[in-house]
Amino acid sequence: MRGRFSPFDRSERSSSVMFRATLDEEEEDVEEEPTHLNTNTSSLYLVVSTDKLTARYTGDGRHGNDVGAIQANRPAPCRRLLYYFEMTVKDRGEKGYTAIGFTDEHFKNSRQPGWEVNSYGYHGDDGKLYHGQGRGEPYGQGFTTGDTVGAGINYAAQEIFFTRNGKVLSGVYKDVKSALYPTIGLHSPDEKVEVNFGQRKFVFDVETMMLEERGRRQRAVENMPLPPAASHSIVRAFLLHYGYHDTLTAFDAACGAASADGSVDSIALGEFLPKQEANGVNGTIVTNGTSDDDMYALDQRKMLRRLIRDGNVDGVIINLQEWYPQVKEEHYSTIIFLLRCQKFIELVRTGQVEDAVALARTELASFFGKCQDQDLLLHDCLALLAYERPQDSPMAYLLQFAQREVVADAVNAFVLDTNPSMACIGKDGKPPQSALEKLLRQLTACHVEKRFLNGGQGEVFRLHRILQGGKDGGW
Amino acid sequence: MSMVHIGMMQSSSKKVITKEEWEKKLSEVKIRKEDMNRLVMNFLVTEGYVEAAEKFQHESGTQPDIDLGTITDRMAVRKAVQCGQVEDAIEKVNDLNPEILDTNPQLFFHLQQQRLIELIRAGKVEEALEFAQEELAPRGEENHAFLEELERTVALLAFDDASTCPVKEVKELLDNAQRQKTASELNAAILTSQSHEKDPKLPSLLKMLIWAQNQLDEKASYPRINDLVNATLEEPVT
């Protein structure tokens, strides 16, 4: 019902990550799988059973254009590691001209899979592999009545593979990048086959193949050489960047204590001191990799973060205006806006509703209609007033700690942005990022790009899921 | 023939992505702050920085993925091994969860081996001999690998001053790294018993980054990050 009063739909909401603690908005990525044969694509020479899983050839099989071929109802799903389906020959008929494979959308139902361009087929009579021409290459054994054969796509390796009675045959490079449909073909009287799109257990152990593929990838990842103590340095720089001062002190103390013990970790840390820090920053000896930029205004940032954490928004505003007079400028109005919203939230939290209303009238109303992201936050803030128990309302996320984190991070970024040395580098208005953030962006971008260059096929890399999930979130 | 030719063309002509294009792609990636917080918390917890983890929970509002109290116990066990107090460590582990050693014969053997090493280090020759024969030898009979380890360790007794031992594999048993190795094995077993991964996620993600970059190298030329600590973007190689 809320939707009626809200001018914003869900997709617009998800765009304003920067201003608000993120709502859970995991994108759906369940792909529909082939489930049965598509009788709309069926050849004239086939009779398909009512469950659309069995096909029988009714033609004469006299020439090259009276094949009985048929596709599955959907293309093989591609946002995954592997796709696989099977076919069992119920009756080889007169000549055993049954075939299994993949075809694209230009498929001809009167031709065997593999004969036409952009198609692949494994043929029962000669056991050959056909790809885009009428002549096959030696591949595996033929198959006949009682045999089960399968066809699969390994998206990680970009390969097509076939199986025969549970044994995998070699993979061939998949040069066709467009969508491929599971396809079968029959071509002599009385031939009858049954397909299995996963409704029943496969004869071939596709799960194990998947595990092996993942295992190979995991071992390859584990074998990558990592500079010792890289994680320590990155964590330390992160704590500095965001001004988590107490954590940083405890972390340094623990690392320093470790070095007194002469433990392996701290020896490694010493070796990897970037040059400029061997001399220390500001006369103090730092224990590992940090840049001056990470140190910038640490005391101020630390204090501002603490004030926000404690709900003291006025304190933040006063300090900011004293330390950074430019905060009053139009360019920086978003930070003031965020802080005022936060103040409003803190008032609602403590039940000072009348003060909250007064604040909204004097200081928030003027921000309406300036930008969409701001309007979204304003809308949700004000909506808190509509509920007797705002902590149980749909806007309850605003009252959680995470929203204070959002504001604290924004204030932190604002202060870092005032660093003159950063300005000289010319960061074209981008918010400063911690090394950890840059690395995670790079990691995601590499996966996205590689997948793009593979024609958008293969598993979608989801950092969030890896971080949330078990050991490796599927990776 | 023509097919082969096309194949070669594909592999040799790599797509070039300029730094500007790449930076745009990077800026389109959504990274949640809370995910980064969780990653840092996971590192602090797994590596046993209990105080830092407590502070971080307070400062960032990030919930640790394990009871912080168990870290203190785990670190006490680890420290005991690192200081050569193996008996003490065994006692502490058994207090924590007796199943850890019961279900992990290899770990238990390594702890006993470490205990033997400490006895030899302390010059308690008779005690070391007795311990080796009574506690370790029976286990060596059950397992050939254990027996070899035992023989290697006992070889230390042949030297009045083990630092003069010419055999590297024997001498290194007295190194600090040997204690670290045993301590890490024990640490990992405790974490596993608490249904927690034994390794922090951050180093795996860093390895994954190197791997992903190498994979993409095969298909495109783009700005890599080679210096992980400073996360600097290199110019694409063309």
Side-chain angles (χ1 to χ4, degrees), chain A residues 443-463:
Chain A
L443 171 63
T444 310
C446 283
H447 275 113
V448 169
E449 188 63 24
K450 185 189 156 211
R451 202 172 166 278
F452 173 74
L453 294 175
N454 273 344
Q457 298 170 353
E459 283 173 296
V460 179
F461 175 79
R462 291 192 194 289
L463 183 65

Side-chain angles (χ1 to χ4, degrees), chain A residues 14-15 17 21-27 131 158 173 175 177 217 220-227 229-235 237-239 242-248 250-251 254-255 261-265 272 274 276-277 289-291 302 305-306 309-310 401 405 409 428 430 433-450 452-454 461 463-464 466-472 475, chain B residues 3 6-7 10 14-17 20-44 47-63 65 78-79 82-83 176-181 197-234:
Chain A
S14 61
S15 69
V17 221
T22 33
L23 305 164
D24 213 13
E25 45 209 20
E26 194 67 6
E27 318 89 283
H131 174 35
Q158 287 292 300
Y173 178 64
D175 53 351
K177 301 296 175 193
R217 182 172 60 190
V221 168
E222 274 164 19
N223 285 334
M224 292 292 129
L226 211 57
S231 300
H232 277 82
S233 306
I234 290 162
V235 164
F238 178 86
L239 298 175
Y242 284 100
Y244 293 122
H245 181 264
D246 296 349
T247 312
L248 181 68
F251 186 62
C255 292
D261 293 344
S263 84
V264 176
D265 275 2
F272 276 80
Q276 74 269 20
E277 282 139 35
T290 46
S291 69
K302 152 189 124 186
R305 183 172 284 277
R306 184 168 301 162
R309 192 180 70 205
D310 296 341
F401 193 94
E405 261 298 268
D409 292 344
D428 50 51
K430 274 181 293 173
Q433 293 169 356
S434 61
L436 180 61
E437 181 169 352
K438 288 180 193 162
L439 295 170
L440 295 177
R441 280 180 191 279
Q442 180 84 356
L443 171 63
T444 310
C446 283
H447 275 113
V448 169
E449 188 63 24
K450 185 189 156 211
F452 173 74
L453 294 175
N454 273 344
F461 175 79
L463 183 65
H464 181 62
I466 292 175
L467 295 178
Q468 255 190 342
K471 187 164 166 33
D472 50 13
W475 272 78
Chain B
M3 292 297 287
I6 292 168
Q10 276 176 343
K14 276 208 268 179
K15 182 183 175 186
V16 177
I17 306 171
E20 199 183 4
E21 288 165 341
W22 188 249
E23 278 178 340
K24 186 163 177 289
K25 288 174 197 281
L26 287 176
S27 69
E28 283 163 4
V29 173
K30 272 187 199 161
I31 300 291
R32 304 177 190 217
K33 172 70 188 321
E34 52 178 302
D35 282 344
M36 294 196 285
N37 281 355
R38 209 175 283 149
L39 193 53
V40 167
M41 180 58 100
N42 170 272
F43 178 83
L44 296 175
E47 294 287 281
Y49 294 106
V50 59
E51 263 178 58
E54 276 167 7
K55 298 289 184 202
F56 192 59
Q57 180 181 11
H58 186 61
E59 279 188 306
S60 71
T62 310
Q63 292 305 315
D65 49 6
R78 183 177 193 143
K79 202 162 178 212
Q82 283 168 342
C83 300
N176 205 31
Q178 175 66 25
R179 281 180 175 176
Q180 292 291 350
K181 199 172 135 197
E197 305 116 83
K198 58 184 172 56
D199 300 310
K201 288 191 165 93
L202 179 56
S204 324
L205 281 177
L206 297 178
K207 286 181 177 183
M208 205 186 276
L209 168 61
I210 302 172
W211 177 81
Q213 291 193 133
N214 292 350
Q215 290 269 307
L216 187 55
D217 275 345
E218 289 171 19
K219 299 188 176 273
S221 177
Y222 65 99
R224 286 174 58 100
I225 290 182
N226 295 329
D227 174 359
L228 293 181
V229 172
N230 292 305
T232 353
L233 273 187
E234 310 287 333

Side-chain angles (χ1 to χ4, degrees), chain A residues 210-229:
Chain A
M210 207 126 76
L211 286 177
E212 282 169 1
E213 186 68 39
R214 282 190 208 288
R216 257 196 299 281
R217 182 172 60 190
Q218 207 173 331
R219 278 191 299 279
V221 168
E222 274 164 19
N223 285 334
M224 292 292 129
L226 211 57

